[in-house]
C-alpha cells in the first residue's frame, strides 16, 4: 500500500474528527457510533482486556476507525471497522485487515483473530470470508443474530 494510508492510535485530539465520520444509513445499525467507541475506550476499560482505538488515515485525513483488543485466549478481537462513506471503495478495509494480520503474525503470543458480524451484513460477511475468516458460531444480541468468525494465526503465516 502507498504512503497515502496510515493507521494510528486515536488520541483525544482526534475525537472531533472521529465523531464526524459519516456512514451510509444502512451501515449505521451494524457498527457503534464513534461516540460509543470513545465511551468504551475511556469509561469501560477493564484491566484484563486491552481495548485500543485506531484511526484510519487517508491522504493525511482521519476517515475511519476500528477497535482492537486482546481476549483472555490471546486472540486479537477486531471490532467496528468503519470508514466514512466518502472514502469507501478505496481499499481501506483491505489495508486495515492486512495491517491487523501483519500485527497478529508479528507476535507469537497471539493465537488468532476473531470478530463478529451481523448476519444481515452480507457485504462484511463476504469481505471477512475472502480475508480467511470462518464462521465458528452464532449468538443473539439485542434480538439480532450475529455470526462469530475467526481463524488461527497459523492460517496467515
Amino acid at each position: 500500500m502507498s504512503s497515502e494510508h496510515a493507521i494510528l492510535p486515536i488520541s483525544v485530539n482526534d475525537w472531533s474528527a472521529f465523531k464526524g465520520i459519516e456512514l451510509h444509513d444502512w451501515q449505521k445499525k451494524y457498527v457503534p457510533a464513534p461516540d460509543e467507541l470513545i465511551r468504551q475506550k475511556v469509561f469501560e476499560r477493564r484491566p484484563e482486556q486491552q481495548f485500543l482505538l485506531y484511526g484510519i488515515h487517508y491522504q493525511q485525513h482521519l476517515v475511519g476507525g476500528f477497535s482492537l483488543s486482546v481476549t483472555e485466549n490471546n486472540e486479537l478481537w477486531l471490532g467496528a471497522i468503519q470508514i466514512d462513506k466518502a472514502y469507501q471503495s478505496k481499499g481501506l478495509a483491505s489495508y486495515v485487515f492486512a495491517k491487523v494480520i501483519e500485527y497478529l503474525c508479528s507476535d507469537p503470543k497471539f493465537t488468532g483473530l476473531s470478530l463478529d458480524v451481523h448476519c444481515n451484513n452480507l457485504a462484511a460477511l463476504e469481505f471477512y470470508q475472502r480475508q480467511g475468516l470462518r464462521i465458528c458460531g452464532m449468538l443473539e444480541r439485542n434480538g439480532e443474530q450475529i455470526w462469530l468468525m475467526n481463524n488461527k494465526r497459523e492460517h496467515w503465516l
Side-chain angles (χ1 to χ4, degrees):
M1 273 294 152
S2 73
S3 61
E4 292 184 321
H5 304 76
I7 297 172
L8 301 168
I10 289 182
S11 71
V12 172
N13 297 333
D14 298 319
W15 287 2
S16 180
F18 187 54
K19 289 179 184 182
I21 292 170
E22 293 186 39
L23 301 176
H24 294 286
D25 288 338
W26 67 268
Q27 293 174 303
K28 293 177 183 176
K29 65 182 174 181
Y30 298 129
V31 294
D35 282 344
E36 174 67 18
L37 288 174
I38 291 169
R39 186 182 62 72
Q40 286 177 333
K41 170 77 175 149
V42 174
F43 297 110
E44 293 183 8
R45 287 183 279 183
R46 293 180 297 208
E48 73 279 2
Q49 186 178 29
Q50 187 179 21
F51 180 86
L52 303 170
L53 194 54
Y54 289 97
I56 303 165
H57 297 261
Y58 181 73
Q59 297 179 340
Q60 300 180 1
H61 298 284
L62 180 65
V63 299
F66 66 97
S67 63
L68 198 59
S69 56
V70 180
T71 70
E72 61 219 17
N73 299 329
N74 284 327
E75 284 185 322
L76 289 179
W77 182 271
L78 178 60
I81 293 179
Q82 46 192 287
I83 298 168
D84 190 287
K85 63 185 179 182
Y87 293 91
Q88 292 178 8
S89 300
K90 296 188 181 302
L92 293 169
S94 295
Y95 174 76
V96 166
F97 200 87
K99 288 298 184 182
V100 168
I101 295 304
E102 185 179 304
Y103 179 60
L104 167 77
C105 292
S106 73
D107 192 334
K109 79 176 177 188
F110 298 131
T111 60
L113 178 69
S114 295
L115 55 82
D116 61 26
V117 63
H118 287 74
C119 292
N120 294 332
N121 191 350
L122 297 180
L125 179 66
E126 290 172 4
F127 171 77
Y128 291 127
Q129 287 176 322
R130 283 193 312 270
Q131 305 308 312
L133 291 172
R134 297 185 180 118
I135 296 170
C136 62
M138 187 171 48
L139 59 91
E140 190 171 313
R141 183 184 307 137
N142 300 327
E144 295 191 43
Q145 292 186 329
I146 310 290
W147 292 115
L148 299 173
M149 301 184 79
N150 74 0
N151 212 331
K152 298 293 181 198
R153 177 178 181 268
E154 292 78 26
H155 174 79
W156 291 287
L157 290 177

